[in-house]
Amino acid sequence: MKTLVWMGSWSYLLIGLAHVVVGSLMPDLLQYYGKDYSAGGSLIFAQFSGFLIGVSLSPFILSKFGKRTGLIIAIGLLCLAELCYTMLPPWEWMYVVGSLAGFGFGMIEAVIGTLIIVAITEGTAIAMSRLEVFFGIGALVMPLLAGVLIRAELWRYSFLFVSLMALVMFIVWYKKNFGELNKLLDTKEETKKEKKSFFSQYRGVRGLLLIVFIVFFFLYVGMEMSFVNFLPSLLIEKLGTDKSTAAFSVTLFWIAMTVGRFFCGFIAEKISYSRYVVWSCAISLALFALFSIAEGLTMMTVLIMLIGLFLSGLFSIALVFANKLLPGAEESTPSMLIAAGGVGGAILPLLMGKGMDFGGAQFSSWMLATFIAALTLLGIAAMIIQRTQVQVISNEN
């Protein structure tokens, strides 16, 4: 199992790089192509549309080829897409390339996340938080590298770096012998059985919980991707910072995210998943409200790092929380929630781009705060449903 967790962690590092590379270079991309923020939002939309397709098709691809081959296909597509990004094709082709990249890292995330949740039943939150730590490392390294390359006027080669990392992971997954894990990785899924039992898995209150978490992941991933991809643009418009400094702000955010993920699994196991989710949302709401009204680079920097710290474990802990509330559906729930996140990651940055063009950075900052407010209410709803379930079971006993 340690081998699986480590390989999953390195794969998540690759996903972290791929998730934020476009956002880190957004001001330069828009300037190079002569496009506005709405066009940038459309590119993020295309990327996360591909993400959604990758997550949605992953069960079918795994049923035909197995998990290892499915991962190799996804990593290969990501490698190719990032190489195409490096060539800076015509803008219309960037949407196609973005969709291909999103398909690759979407499928990787769905497969690895499901593998960890299914294979590790004790300390699941800790294992998932380790994956998220590596995601965070990738996501903080990429803007830092982008800032250096921007100063050297070689920013396009940030995409090449991601492509080379994907090539390394492709070779490792293809060549490595995992011993007793080979059977787990190469076994093909039985999809017919899953389809027949789908509706029985989500009857009654379970169906309501599924809806709550689908909306939750839709909003969370959309909010996070909107914030990360437009953070440099927000700082440039609000404070007039230079582009390389603005790109570095994303690294500060991911440093805080990564530090928080070292501890979030242990904290969630100690105080309960539900309390962790609700308190993270509530504190983040207050921080985003302050971010919307704050002025000055120092204050903004502090708020960005605090936001990263309190958002750090929200995705992974909420994913584990949902699966613990829906026992018996571990094979299907993660993919659906990650897919919901993919939809949010496609739609909300598109709205964010429109908001930037319509009302500027101030308006868009309050949009983000509104998304967090909705997340807080959904977290409270999930906690109430959980406690109601426990009370009903207690009364029956």
Side-chain angles (χ1 to χ4, degrees):
M1 291 303 172
K2 288 183 179 179
T3 304
L4 176 62
V5 173
W6 276 110
M7 285 301 299
S9 297
W10 287 110
S11 298
Y12 261 55
L13 183 138
L14 174 62
I15 297 170
L17 294 170
H19 259 277
V20 303
V21 62
V22 171
S24 300
L25 302 173
M26 183 68 76
D28 294 274
L29 278 172
L30 297 182
Q31 182 178 355
Y32 177 84
Y33 285 100
K35 301 294 181 179
D36 57 16
Y37 289 121
S38 295
S42 297
L43 181 58
I44 302 300
F45 177 85
Q47 186 165 278
F48 277 87
S49 295
F51 177 97
L52 175 61
I53 295 171
V55 173
S56 301
L57 290 184
S58 61
F60 172 76
I61 294 174
L62 298 185
S63 69
K64 296 295 183 182
F65 303 105
K67 294 181 177 65
R68 186 206 297 265
T69 304
L71 282 170
I72 290 171
I73 292 171
I75 295 171
L77 289 174
L78 179 59
C79 178
L80 177 63
E82 297 298 331
L83 184 61
C84 292
Y85 267 142
T86 308
M87 298 176 184
L88 297 177
W91 180 256
E92 291 73 18
W93 282 99
M94 291 290 279
Y95 295 130
V96 178
V97 175
S99 299
L100 190 64
F103 182 96
F105 65 70
M107 185 171 171
I108 296 169
E109 184 172 348
V111 175
I112 296 296
T114 301
L115 271 173
I116 294 299
I117 288 174
V118 171
I120 300 176
T121 56
E122 295 294 331
T124 313
I126 296 173
M128 283 299 298
S129 65
R130 179 183 293 183
L131 297 187
E132 293 292 322
V133 165
F134 275 76
F135 181 100
I137 292 172
L140 71 87
V141 166
M142 191 69 258
L144 183 62
L145 176 63
V148 173
L149 293 176
I150 287 170
R151 285 189 175 95
E153 298 185 355
L154 298 171
W155 53 270
R156 66 192 295 176
Y157 295 107
S158 301
F159 295 120
L160 182 61
F161 177 78
V162 181
S163 182
L164 292 175
M165 289 294 295
L167 179 61
V168 171
M169 289 305 304
F170 180 93
I171 294 171
V172 173
W173 277 105
Y174 183 78
K175 293 284 188 180
K176 188 171 178 60
N177 185 349
F178 291 88
E180 62 182 14
L181 290 174
N182 285 334
K183 184 177 179 180
L184 175 65
L185 292 169
D186 297 330
T187 300
K188 298 177 182 179
E189 303 290 339
E190 292 292 336
T191 56
K192 291 184 179 179
K193 183 178 179 180
E194 291 177 1
K195 288 180 181 179
K196 290 180 181 178
S197 60
F198 176 83
F199 292 105
S200 63
Q201 292 176 343
Y202 302 108
R203 288 178 178 172
V205 176
R206 290 166 64 90
L208 179 59
L209 276 169
L210 179 64
I211 293 171
V212 168
F213 280 109
I214 284 175
V215 179
F216 184 96
F217 277 83
F218 171 87
L219 288 173
Y220 174 75
V221 177
M223 177 278 303
E224 183 184 289
M225 287 299 100
S226 297
F227 184 63
V228 170
N229 284 293
F230 285 95
L231 180 56
S233 301
L234 287 170
L235 292 184
I236 289 171
E237 183 168 328
K238 285 173 73 73
L239 305 178
T241 57
D242 62 89
K243 289 187 289 187
S244 60
T245 301
F248 182 68
S249 69
V250 182
T251 292
L252 292 178
F253 172 80
W254 285 110
I255 288 173
M257 289 280 274
T258 303
V259 171
R261 285 167 177 174
F262 276 108
F263 307 102
C264 66
F266 297 98
I267 295 173
E269 295 282 353
K270 187 174 183 63
I271 68 173
S272 81
Y273 303 140
S274 59
R275 287 191 181 94
Y276 184 94
V277 169
V278 171
W279 278 109
S280 292
C281 291
I283 296 173
S284 297
L285 172 58
L287 292 172
F288 267 102
L290 290 173
F291 180 86
S292 300
I293 61 176
E295 296 181 358
L297 184 59
T298 301
M299 178 61 72
M300 282 292 195
T301 300
V302 172
L303 288 171
I304 288 167
M305 296 190 72
L306 286 174
I307 288 170
L309 189 65
F310 284 97
L311 289 180
S312 60
L314 200 50
F315 182 91
S316 59
I317 303 306
L319 191 61
V320 175
F321 181 34
N323 279 276
K324 296 299 182 183
L325 289 181
L326 297 166
E330 293 86 356
E331 289 285 350
S332 55
T333 301
S335 293
M336 282 192 290
L337 298 185
I338 292 172
V343 177
I347 294 176
L348 296 193
L350 187 65
L351 296 178
M352 185 75 173
K354 297 289 186 183
M356 288 286 289
D357 287 332
F358 173 75
Q362 191 75 9
F363 176 82
S364 300
S365 298
W366 282 111
M367 280 179 61
L368 294 171
T370 303
F371 296 151
I372 286 287
L375 284 176
T376 306
L377 294 176
L378 290 167
I380 293 172
M383 177 187 284
I384 292 172
I385 294 172
Q386 178 196 31
R387 292 182 176 179
T388 302
Q389 281 184 312
V390 171
Q391 186 63 43
V392 169
I393 294 172
S394 177
N395 293 337
E396 290 177 351
N397 291 336

